[in-house]
Amino acid sequence: MAFSFSSFLKCHPWPQSQNLPNPIPFPPSFHSPKPVSLPFSTRQERVPSVSASNSSSVSTVLPSKAKELLPEFTPKQLLDTLRRENDVTSAFHLFEWASKQPHFTPSLSVYEEILRKLGNVGSFDSMRRVLDDMKKLQVELVEGTFFIFIESYAKFDLYDEAIGVLDMMLKEFGIKPGTFSFNLLLNVLVDGNKLKLVENVHSRMLDEGVKADVSTFNILIKALCKTHQIRPAILMMEEMPVHGLVPDEKTFTTIMQGYIEEGNLDGALRIRDQMVAAKCPASNITVNLLIHGYCKEGRIDEALNFVQDMCSRGFSPDQFTFNTLINGLCKAGHAVQALDILDLMLQDGFDPDVYTYNILISGLGEVGEVQEAIELLNQMLVRDCSPNTVTYNTIISALCRENQVQEATEFARVLTSKGFLPDVCTFNSLIQGLCFTGKFNVAMELFEEMKNKGCEPDEFTYNILIDCLCAKRRLGEAMNLLKDMESSGCARSVITYNTLIDGFCKDKKIEEAEEIFDQMELHGVSRNLVTYNTLIDGLCKSRRVEEAAQLMDQMILEGLKPDKFTFNSILSHFCRAGDIKKAADIVQTMTSNGCEPDIVTYGTLIQGLCKAGRVEVASRLLRSIQMKGMVLTPQAYNPVIQALFRRRRTKEAVRLFREMEETANPPDAFSYKIVFRGISSGGGPIQEAVDFSIEMMEKGHIPEFSSFYNLAEGLYSLSMEDTLIKLVGMIMKKAKFSDSEVTMIKGFLKIRKYQDALATLGRVLNSRNPKRTYWD
């Protein structure tokens, strides 16, 4: 091979990468087993010789499976019996007994079957002894016999031993490893992500003059795609004709999958065009892979059109096609439409499996269609498809997300009574639901029940409860849970500590937050950007900005780069203090550190400028931000509008508000509050204030009562009682006053007790909307 795989390795060093999944995008997870030692008779790892010299020492113990064999059994009958035996020890005992029978000589197939069974449990010494006995009996070994050793070693991640099989074949048994041996070895090394060893084995293949075939190229192309080296993989495919080889479907689909895994479907489609141009026949594997690619990128309409086009060309959707489309629709938030695909699947004679139903139930739960999800569960049971723990947990989680925690709890209890054992995911969903619906005490009771039932809480369980306790300012209890985590051996991550630091900072207990920050280092938990930003923000709000700056220096020393949140916290402190020069310096430092200011940064600076009375500078900054192409938020406009109203520049303020409506993000509740207050107390035409109050209510915002009171006094003094009554009615409707509250206020208005009506209106509004200042 003139253009060797090794040359690619030199040009493109191997990075560590995740295993590339099969064309089916939902492979089961695999964990390498541990080798086991088999107790054969009373000896460990002892395989008796089956040579003629000891054939007379026949075992007096008859294995149970031997009774299934005829007295004069054949190798095929023994082989069938061995294949049916799942227990390796029993299978070996049977093999040992049969080998000692005077009339019987094991065939190669029998030997290979027992080698396979021993290899499955990692009994490598026993395998080697069986192989040695085969050599003594002069059993004619073939190359395929050694494939069992390669696959068995690879199964237990013993890759050096797997490579050593090549030497054993040649030096001990005189069998020269051929293309199939090298291909198998290369493939297990690629699947095991041992890509440096792939280079070594491939170089050896070249040195020994073993001819590569299409499978060799496909395996090497797979290796390149695993390391995201798609271009070299394409070059290797283009080299195949030089060696008299033609790329097959697997060649093309491997590269397509490489592109799809990188999120480049268009690249995969270009390879498909090459495949069509090469007149390479395509099976469902290629079509399904591309459907998966469309769905992975959220291009659902194109996926459906592609399926329709392929069907017109003779493609027949299979189980994988339907599952992929259902999964794609659910991930894109179209679970209800995915039910139509389920119907088509049933019409085509395919039985949905538990995986299909779990996708749909999860998708329906995500979009709030919990009842539909439960109906689908019932359909599963009717169709004799057994739900699993994932199915039940998905429904419980969906019920909790919809605040139907009581229903979720009852559902879990019914399942438990029918033999379903709730796991940590079940309890976590219920505990989280209870916390979100304000039933923390019940959540704690369930937490204790969970432990009593022998279900160990995990990090997520503790984090839910700690977060809830921090939000309730019950910080002592939160710290007790942290100690409970430690005593139970549950891992504590950076999320746990960040939650506690945030809770103490919000409660203005900065010293305690700093102690937790220090504990992280003692317990070997690495602090991240969120950790530093949370404490820096807490220090700044406590006016300890010098310490915050020192913490930022420490953060940089630990290799973390300050981000917008870091700088914005310090900037907010100087703006609140009215120190605009230092605030401007922070923005300059931020830019020089490669951290581009965002709209929050500029909004904070504008607030500071307005608070310092520098409205003109703030206005110019607002214009310069617009020139940068940023979409301005109300937080940038509101301080300038408020400052203009305070200076009685009402027309400019209103004009800026209308500009925000037209060119920026929609005004928020505070924007309307500022303008209504400014118009109502600005001495302008009263009708303008009336019109604006109607406008803001139509946009869903209720006027602030103190400002509305000013307007009401003006209306009353101008004998515009009808307008006042109309506005009061609109406010009560928009604020959803109770019938009794409406009756009382209308009663006062009817007898012209306007002051009493307004006082009652104000009392109800203020009880629903506690006072908060803008700077809060």
Side-chain angles (χ1 to χ4, degrees):
M1 193 184 299
F3 192 41
S4 72
F5 184 67
S6 301
S7 65
F8 283 114
L9 294 170
K10 289 168 186 169
C11 298
H12 306 277
W14 293 108
Q16 291 296 321
S17 66
Q18 299 298 316
N19 287 342
L20 189 70
N22 298 321
I24 297 177
F26 317 111
S29 57
F30 174 75
H31 300 284
S32 295
K34 293 180 180 178
V36 298
S37 179
L38 291 174
F40 297 134
S41 301
T42 58
R43 295 158 289 185
Q44 286 289 89
E45 283 292 294
R46 175 75 177 91
V47 179
S49 172
V50 292
S51 61
S53 61
N54 67 354
S55 62
S56 59
S57 90
V58 179
S59 173
T60 57
V61 180
L62 186 68
S64 59
K65 285 285 181 180
K67 297 172 185 176
E68 298 178 14
L69 296 171
L70 296 170
E72 297 292 325
F73 60 89
T74 65
K76 183 180 184 309
Q77 289 169 336
L78 176 61
L79 181 62
D80 291 341
T81 307
L82 287 172
R83 284 174 176 167
R84 290 194 299 270
E85 179 56 70
N86 294 323
D87 182 72
V88 180
T89 305
S90 298
F92 187 80
H93 283 156
L94 179 61
F95 167 75
E96 181 184 40
W97 170 82
S99 300
K100 293 175 182 178
Q101 302 311 304
H103 73 278
F104 182 75
T105 301
S107 66
L108 179 62
S109 298
V110 170
Y111 277 114
E112 288 182 344
E113 180 62 26
I114 202 65
L115 284 172
R116 237 177 248 108
K117 286 189 178 295
L118 292 169
N120 283 337
V121 294
S123 189
F124 300 117
D125 288 345
S126 298
M127 288 178 72
R128 184 57 207 239
R129 290 189 184 107
V130 170
L131 191 64
D132 289 341
D133 283 333
M134 292 172 73
K135 186 177 181 181
K136 288 175 189 175
L137 289 171
Q138 297 182 344
V139 176
E140 188 175 348
L141 297 172
V142 295
E143 194 175 357
T145 306
F146 296 92
F147 294 175
I148 300 168
F149 281 84
I150 292 172
E151 290 173 333
S152 299
Y153 282 128
K155 182 179 180 180
F156 289 92
D157 299 334
L158 300 171
Y159 295 105
D160 288 332
E161 288 82 350
I163 295 170
V165 173
L166 298 179
D167 292 323
M168 179 174 71
M169 289 171 67
L170 185 60
K171 294 176 181 177
E172 297 185 36
F173 295 89
I175 297 175
K176 183 180 178 181
T179 305
F180 289 132
S181 295
F182 276 101
N183 284 353
L184 176 63
L185 185 54
L186 286 169
N187 196 52
V188 297
L189 291 172
V190 172
D191 288 344
N193 216 32
K194 299 298 176 182
L195 301 172
K196 183 63 180 173
L197 294 178
V198 172
E199 178 185 4
N200 297 339
V201 171
H202 181 248
S203 296
R204 177 171 174 174
M205 185 178 182
L206 293 175
D207 293 341
E208 294 182 9
V210 178
K211 184 175 175 59
D213 62 5
V214 173
S215 293
T216 315
F217 274 93
N218 288 345
I219 294 163
L220 299 178
I221 286 169
K222 179 168 72 168
L224 288 167
C225 289
K226 279 174 74 77
T227 56
H228 310 289
Q229 298 186 62
I230 309 297
R231 182 59 190 158
I234 294 170
L235 293 174
M236 181 163 278
M237 179 178 69
E238 291 171 352
E239 187 199 352
M240 290 175 72
V242 176
H243 300 274
L245 302 171
V246 178
D248 62 6
E249 182 185 20
K250 191 167 186 178
T251 318
F252 289 108
T253 54
T254 301
I255 297 175
M256 284 185 216
Q257 186 166 6
Y259 271 124
I260 287 169
E261 292 304 312
E262 288 192 342
N264 185 357
L265 175 63
D266 292 333
L269 292 172
R270 288 195 300 271
I271 298 298
R272 188 228 175 192
D273 291 341
Q274 288 184 34
M275 183 177 176
V276 172
K279 296 182 179 178
C280 175
S283 67
N284 278 27
I285 292 174
T286 303
V287 179
N288 283 336
L289 176 63
L290 291 170
I291 293 168
H292 166 57
Y294 279 115
C295 292
K296 186 173 182 282
E297 292 191 11
R299 294 158 65 172
I300 305 301
D301 288 339
E302 292 176 75
L304 295 170
N305 291 334
F306 178 68
V307 173
Q308 193 172 7
D309 179 46
M310 288 295 100
C311 287
S312 68
R313 298 168 188 257
F315 167 70
S316 295
D318 56 22
Q319 181 104 7
F320 178 76
T321 314
F322 288 112
N323 278 350
T324 303
L325 289 171
I326 288 170
N327 186 58
L329 283 163
C330 289
K331 289 284 173 64
H334 304 305
V336 177
Q337 291 83 345
L339 291 172
D340 296 334
I341 303 295
L342 179 67
D343 291 338
L344 287 173
M345 185 177 185
L346 293 167
Q347 288 171 27
D348 276 16
F350 290 99
D351 284 325
D353 55 17
V354 66
Y355 177 78
T356 316
Y357 281 111
N358 284 352
I359 296 169
L360 277 163
I361 288 170
S362 177
L364 289 166
E366 290 289 340
V367 295
E369 297 287 346
V370 184
Q371 197 54 47
E372 286 274 12
I374 293 171
E375 287 176 16
L376 212 55
L377 172 63
N378 293 330
Q379 185 188 123
M380 281 182 79
L381 298 169
V382 169
R383 296 190 64 84
D384 218 18
C385 179
S386 299
N388 58 18
T389 306
V390 174
T391 319
Y392 293 129
N393 282 345
T394 303
I395 288 179
I396 290 168
S397 178
L399 285 166
C400 290
R401 274 199 305 272
E402 292 300 306
N403 292 333
Q404 298 180 40
V405 184
Q406 186 173 347
E407 292 86 343
T409 306
E410 183 58 31
F411 181 68
R413 295 201 186 282
V414 170
L415 290 173
T416 305
S417 69
K418 293 184 177 181
F420 165 75
L421 294 176
D423 61 9
V424 67
C425 293
T426 318
F427 282 107
N428 284 349
S429 293
L430 292 169
I431 289 170
Q432 187 173 42
L434 289 165
C435 287
F436 285 170
T437 52
K439 297 176 181 176
F440 180 75
N441 291 337
V442 183
M444 284 301 296
E445 288 173 12
L446 190 61
F447 174 67
E448 293 301 327
E449 181 183 338
M450 174 184 186
K451 291 192 288 185
N452 292 336
K453 287 186 180 294
C455 183
E456 288 295 326
D458 62 8
E459 180 194 334
F460 187 71
T461 322
Y462 282 103
N463 285 348
I464 296 165
L465 295 170
I466 288 172
D467 183 58
C468 194
L469 285 167
C470 287
K472 292 176 176 292
R473 301 291 194 266
R474 292 161 64 174
L475 300 172
E477 293 172 69
M479 289 300 293
N480 288 337
L481 272 182
L482 182 69
K483 292 174 185 174
D484 190 26
M485 285 182 81
E486 183 178 5
S487 61
S488 66
C490 181
R492 291 157 293 170
S493 72
V494 66
I495 296 171
T496 315
Y497 286 102
N498 286 352
T499 303
L500 286 163
I501 291 170
D502 184 58
F504 278 106
C505 285
K506 283 178 177 173
D507 204 36
K508 298 181 180 178
K509 295 180 178 178
I510 305 300
E511 288 78 9
E512 288 88 340
E514 288 176 308
E515 285 179 18
I516 296 166
F517 181 85
D518 293 336
Q519 277 184 35
M520 292 178 73
E521 187 173 15
L522 294 173
H523 288 98
V525 179
S526 297
R527 297 177 283 232
N528 62 13
L529 194 60
V530 175
T531 319
Y532 277 99
N533 281 346
T534 305
L535 188 54
I536 286 169
D537 190 56
L539 287 166
C540 288
K541 285 176 178 173
S542 297
R543 300 182 182 181
R544 293 166 58 180
V545 71
E546 293 299 328
E547 293 170 68
Q550 289 172 10
L551 198 60
M552 188 165 78
D553 291 339
Q554 179 183 333
M555 171 183 178
I556 294 167
L557 287 173
E558 289 195 13
L560 295 170
K561 188 177 181 181
D563 63 1
K564 293 170 187 177
F565 188 90
T566 323
F567 287 108
N568 287 346
S569 295
I570 297 174
L571 178 66
S572 295
H573 165 79
F574 288 121
C575 285
R576 280 194 296 268
D579 193 336
I580 300 304
K581 184 180 182 306
K582 283 192 176 178
D585 289 343
I586 292 295
V587 176
Q588 183 62 42
T589 304
M590 186 176 179
T591 306
S592 62
N593 277 272
C595 186
E596 193 62 32
D598 60 4
I599 192 61
V600 176
T601 312
Y602 287 118
T604 304
L605 190 55
I606 287 169
Q607 287 177 15
L609 288 165
C610 291
K611 189 176 181 183
R614 302 176 68 177
V615 184
E616 302 305 327
V617 179
S619 297
R620 287 200 298 273
L621 181 56
L622 199 63
R623 298 293 168 228
S624 70
I625 298 168
Q626 286 176 319
M627 296 295 290
K628 290 177 182 286
M630 287 187 179
V631 178
L632 295 172
T633 61
Q635 286 71 28
Y637 274 101
N638 289 345
V640 182
I641 294 171
Q642 187 177 41
L644 290 170
F645 272 122
R646 283 175 177 165
R647 284 160 179 72
R648 301 291 179 182
R649 293 159 63 175
T650 305
K651 287 184 179 179
E652 290 178 64
V654 172
R655 189 165 59 248
L656 199 58
F657 174 80
R658 296 303 178 193
E659 177 189 302
M660 174 169 47
E661 280 187 309
E662 293 173 9
T663 62
N665 284 341
D668 60 11
F670 191 69
S671 309
Y672 282 100
K673 176 181 175 181
I674 294 168
V675 176
F676 182 64
R677 180 191 294 169
I679 292 174
S680 300
S681 60
I686 198 166
Q687 190 59 45
E688 185 180 5
V690 171
D691 291 343
F692 191 81
S693 67
I694 295 171
E695 177 188 337
M696 70 183 294
M697 281 190 276
E698 287 175 347
K699 294 287 178 67
H701 303 288
I702 299 168
E704 181 190 31
F705 178 71
S706 59
S707 301
F708 181 76
Y709 187 82
N710 292 335
L711 174 60
E713 282 195 322
L715 291 170
Y716 180 72
S717 65
L718 294 172
S719 302
M720 297 174 67
E721 291 89 348
D722 290 345
T723 303
L724 174 59
I725 292 169
K726 177 186 173 183
L727 292 177
V728 169
M730 289 181 69
I731 290 173
M732 291 192 295
K733 183 179 180 181
K734 183 62 65 177
K736 296 180 180 178
F737 278 32
S738 67
D739 291 342
S740 60
E741 290 166 345
V742 171
T743 302
M744 182 186 299
I745 291 170
K746 281 187 174 179
F748 284 133
L749 291 171
K750 191 171 183 179
I751 59 176
R752 301 177 65 81
K753 288 191 173 182
Y754 297 111
Q755 289 296 332
D756 291 338
L758 290 171
T760 306
L761 180 74
R763 187 169 63 253
V764 175
L765 286 175
N766 289 333
S767 68
R768 296 185 180 187
N769 300 294
K771 287 185 178 180
R772 289 189 66 189
T773 67
Y774 184 67
W775 289 99
D776 286 342

